[in-house]
Amino acid sequence: MISKDTIKKLASLARLEVTDAEVETLAREAGSILNYAESLNTLDVAEVTPMTHAELLENVIRDDVAIPTDEAERNRMMSQLAKAKDDQLQVPNVFGNV
Amino acid sequence: MFEKRMHITDIVTSVSGGVRSAVDVAQEYLNRIAERDKELHAFLLVNPEHALAEAAAVDERVRKGEEQLPLAGVPIAIKDNMCIAGTVTTAGSKMLANHIAAYDAFVVKKLRAAGAVLIGKTNMDEFAMGSSTENSAYGPTKNPIDTSRVPGGSSGGSAAAVAADMVPVALGSDTGGSIRQPAAFCGVVGLKPTYGSVSRSGLIAMASSLDQIGPLATSVADAETLFNVIRGKDPKDATSVVPRERPTKTVGWTVGVPKEYFADGLDPEIKKIIQNTIDLLEKNGAIIKDISLPHSPHALAVYYIIMPAEVSSNLARFDGLRYGYFESTGTLAGDYLKSRSNGFGKEARRRIILGTHVLSSGYYDEFYGRAQKVRTLIAQDFTTAFESVDVILTPTSPTLPFKFGEKTSDPLTMYLSDVYTVPVNLAGVPALSLPCGKVGNLPVGVQLIGKPFDEGTLFALGAEIERLTEKEG
């Protein structure tokens, strides 16, 4: 029900590397799960509103004012950056060699 | 098997009253962990020095006598998907093996304020994906009742730690049954609160519209005390709500028994035990009503579309750049590919792929859009049922705790473990699992499902079942 090409495309979208053996297994497993979900197609949902959350949500907003992060918290975050330079996260060039 | 268990009131009374120090209590539980966890592997992290220092701080606060500490000196284990500032928080994954939490989860802050002693982090299925704790990147946890069997999942470590009396109480998280099912498998009490009752700030997210943190304990009363400490509106969790007040029903319950939960697939031995519990309640004044939750048979399918979709979104943040497992290749694309592929385990990769598919252009309406609509129907089933009953009673799990490796060959087999628990998360209602009998020495859990924000009624009925089961046994 899911082709191997689709699996490869999905893996690429999700930034995951999959071996050929894994592509086969994933196609089979994802396929069987979606087959199981076929039963949902027997239901008439034309007039039903989709549900995203148990409660109706409102955005929580606050004033657009910078609130300094607690120093210890900040240090813990900064110490875990894969690559840092001048107190900033350093990443490879986004547009080159992609 | 074990010496008499201490409950929250036992500990709080003796620590607050100066009869016993929090340090002494903490040391006792640390000794038990040192002795019992070698075999069970419920814990991923225990730091005795930190725990004893925290306990000493609690003793100091008690001595000053300025505060009410509802959990004074109570050691508690925390599932390793909840952040404790400065400690390694792995979510059971290799992806976060070296991740140090930058801040405390909201619930952790609440526990500290209440005088609890954070004793350690417990094992779990990776990123909370699983029903047996076999998907942990750090090895499985054993069920203390029968060590050849799984403790359930994904909060298997927390359930086992409580069942083995290595801690009196623990926190777990529940997205599709991950507190209730391990509670049932390990013979303890577990609550999944109403969605929005407990803040998810500091909980490593799995499926944001389904996740809730909840207590695991050896008594309904302890679960209730712990729930009352951790609940509350949190500005950092936009989905947390001020609970609607509900009058608690403490007697004369009308209990709904949905026929869909007693059909094929339920172990006949479990069915007998649950029926026995129903009969006990009826003999003692409860009104039993046969009801139907007609869309229940579709709940698992809905869950295994919506949950992976949300997972694929939530796990997109793990790219190794800001924290976590990182492999450098020289290009950004390569860094992402290697870090993610080698950081995530099999189940995580499977669910990310599935989630990406159901959200992708061309498939969104067919799968995700449709699943969201059926979710509405499932939620409506509960709303309708609750017009005529106070509580809904079902088995928690269709099977007894299974043996290691028994359900790992095909993902769907494992997913079927969640058949009675997932509808609850989809609807956002609360549910309590508590032990109600045994098959041989294996525990059976009964699930009580309640109206939104009606945990009080669940605790009341749960306490009654506890009383009746004890009287009988």
Side-chain angles (χ1 to χ4, degrees):
Chain A
M1 201 180 149
I2 298 194
S3 72
K4 288 197 242 176
D5 277 339
T6 303
I7 297 288
K8 286 186 195 158
K9 178 163 174 252
L10 294 170
S12 162
L13 284 173
R15 301 295 184 265
L16 291 174
E17 207 173 43
V18 283
T19 64
D20 287 334
E22 273 178 305
V23 170
E24 268 214 52
T25 311
L26 282 168
R28 198 183 2 104
E29 288 170 350
S32 91
I33 294 161
L34 292 177
N35 273 347
Y36 180 78
E38 287 264 285
S39 67
L40 299 180
N41 293 331
T42 64
L43 298 168
D44 177 12
V45 292
E47 302 298 306
V48 182
T49 318
M51 176 178 176
T52 55
H53 279 90
E55 291 279 305
L56 289 175
L57 299 177
E58 269 176 25
N59 258 329
V60 175
I61 57 176
R62 62 176 176 85
D63 290 338
D64 187 12
V65 168
I67 300 172
T69 302
D70 168 79
E71 175 134 14
E73 196 176 310
R74 189 177 185 282
N75 289 338
R76 282 178 209 123
M77 289 187 197
M78 296 304 287
S79 69
Q80 295 181 76
L81 302 181
K83 283 182 209 153
K85 185 179 173 184
D86 299 336
D87 216 26
Q88 295 177 337
L89 170 64
Q90 187 180 34
V91 299
N93 189 325
V94 173
F95 293 110
N97 300 316
V98 175
Chain B
M1 198 190 344
F2 303 117
E3 53 284 80
K4 187 168 184 299
R5 290 182 188 278
M6 285 190 276
H7 291 286
I8 289 178
T9 40
D10 300 323
I11 297 172
V12 172
T13 310
S14 74
V15 168
S16 302
V19 170
R20 207 176 162 192
S21 69
V23 167
D24 198 53
V25 172
Q27 189 62 67
E28 175 170 345
Y29 281 99
L30 286 167
N31 293 344
R32 291 187 198 176
I33 293 170
E35 185 192 304
R36 298 172 195 174
D37 204 46
K38 269 192 288 260
E39 194 190 2
L40 298 176
H41 189 49
F43 283 89
L44 293 179
L45 178 74
V46 181
N47 192 323
E49 291 88 59
H50 280 174
L52 292 170
E54 278 185 28
V58 171
D59 282 327
E60 185 55 27
R61 288 162 75 189
V62 166
R63 202 190 51 79
K64 285 207 184 106
E66 295 161 346
E67 314 166 75
Q68 277 279 60
L69 298 173
L71 295 178
V74 176
I76 181 164
I78 312 281
K79 185 176 181 180
D80 205 23
N81 58 357
M82 295 176 226
C83 291
I84 298 180
T87 67
V88 174
T89 301
T90 68
S93 179
K94 201 168 123 192
M95 181 63 89
L96 295 177
N98 64 355
H99 162 243
I100 296 180
Y103 51 87
D104 278 344
F106 178 82
V107 294
V108 168
K109 287 199 208 109
K110 288 280 210 168
L111 291 173
R112 288 193 202 275
V117 176
L118 308 172
I119 243 189
K121 307 301 283 304
T122 53
N123 199 13
M124 53 183 286
D125 284 295
E126 176 177 12
F127 287 109
M129 301 179 188
S131 309
S132 65
T133 312
E134 289 172 291
N135 289 334
S136 168
Y138 301 96
T141 294
K142 292 183 186 168
N143 190 323
I145 296 176
D146 177 338
T147 55
S148 70
R149 294 176 190 268
V150 303
S154 58
S155 310
S158 282
V162 170
D165 212 13
M166 291 193 277
V167 279
V169 288
L171 286 190
S173 71
D174 188 313
T175 304
S178 289
I179 287 174
R180 292 161 286 153
Q181 185 252 36
F185 276 20
C186 292
V188 298
V189 178
L191 172 79
K192 187 212 76 81
T194 309
Y195 182 84
S197 293
V198 180
S199 168
R200 293 177 300 109
S201 168
L203 169 70
I204 295 172
M206 181 192 178
S208 307
S209 80
L210 301 167
D211 294 345
Q212 271 294 280
I213 294 173
L216 288 120
T218 55
S219 71
V220 171
D222 279 2
E224 182 169 12
T225 304
L226 189 44
F227 170 62
N228 285 328
V229 169
I230 61 174
R231 65 195 301 200
K233 182 155 172 66
D234 177 15
K236 290 193 174 179
D237 176 357
T239 63
S240 77
V241 296
V242 175
R244 291 199 290 281
E245 283 312 313
R246 260 195 200 284
T248 295
K249 191 134 194 210
T250 54
V251 285
W253 304 275
T254 300
V255 179
V257 177
K259 61 180 184 202
E260 293 85 3
Y261 288 64
F262 291 85
D264 288 339
L266 174 60
D267 183 325
E269 296 295 310
I270 294 182
K271 193 174 184 178
K272 263 190 233 148
I273 305 273
I274 303 291
Q275 190 58 54
N276 185 53
T277 302
I278 295 170
D279 294 339
L280 263 181
L281 284 173
E282 197 169 31
K283 251 184 267 180
N284 285 273
I287 301 162
I288 308 298
K289 188 164 193 276
D290 288 326
I291 61 169
S292 172
L293 297 169
H295 297 93
S296 310
H298 300 288
L300 205 61
V302 169
Y303 178 75
Y304 276 100
I305 289 174
I306 290 183
M307 176 273 293
E310 296 188 9
V311 159
S312 72
S313 175
N314 279 326
L315 267 55
R317 73 193 64 181
F318 298 107
D319 56 19
L321 294 178
R322 287 146 299 129
Y323 47 77
Y325 184 84
F326 180 69
E327 270 186 55
S328 180
T329 64
T331 69
L332 190 60
D335 289 356
Y336 283 161
L337 220 52
K338 286 292 179 193
S339 302
R340 287 170 63 76
S341 307
N342 294 330
F344 288 135
K346 239 171 38 175
E347 186 64 34
R349 292 206 298 274
R350 184 183 291 134
R351 295 193 193 192
I352 290 169
I353 296 280
L354 189 55
T356 308
H357 183 62
V358 304
L359 289 174
S360 62
S361 167
Y363 293 104
Y364 183 102
D365 289 323
E366 181 184 339
F367 292 117
Y368 187 69
R370 177 165 280 268
Q372 284 188 307
K373 292 183 173 191
V374 181
R375 184 175 180 177
T376 301
L377 298 176
I378 290 166
Q380 273 170 8
D381 281 356
F382 282 100
T383 310
T384 305
F386 284 128
E387 283 165 11
S388 63
V389 303
D390 300 312
V391 178
I392 295 170
L393 187 154
T394 80
T396 302
S397 165
T399 67
L400 293 168
F402 42 87
K403 301 228 176 211
F404 287 104
E406 198 180 305
K407 293 189 190 276
T408 51
S409 57
D410 165 39
L412 208 49
T413 315
M414 185 68 83
Y415 296 167
L416 286 165
S417 309
D418 302 334
V419 68
Y420 301 140
T421 48
V422 302
V424 171
N425 302 79
L426 291 170
V429 290
L432 182 72
S433 177
L434 66 147
C436 67
K438 294 193 182 140
V439 174
N441 69 330
L442 297 179
V444 171
V446 61
Q447 174 173 241
L448 305 176
I449 306 172
K451 299 173 185 172
F453 306 106
D454 202 14
E455 284 84 354
T457 301
L458 296 182
F459 292 131
L461 181 57
E464 175 73 352
I465 293 174
E466 258 179 352
R467 190 184 69 82
L468 294 173
T469 324
E470 205 180 294
K471 224 171 77 176
E472 214 198 21

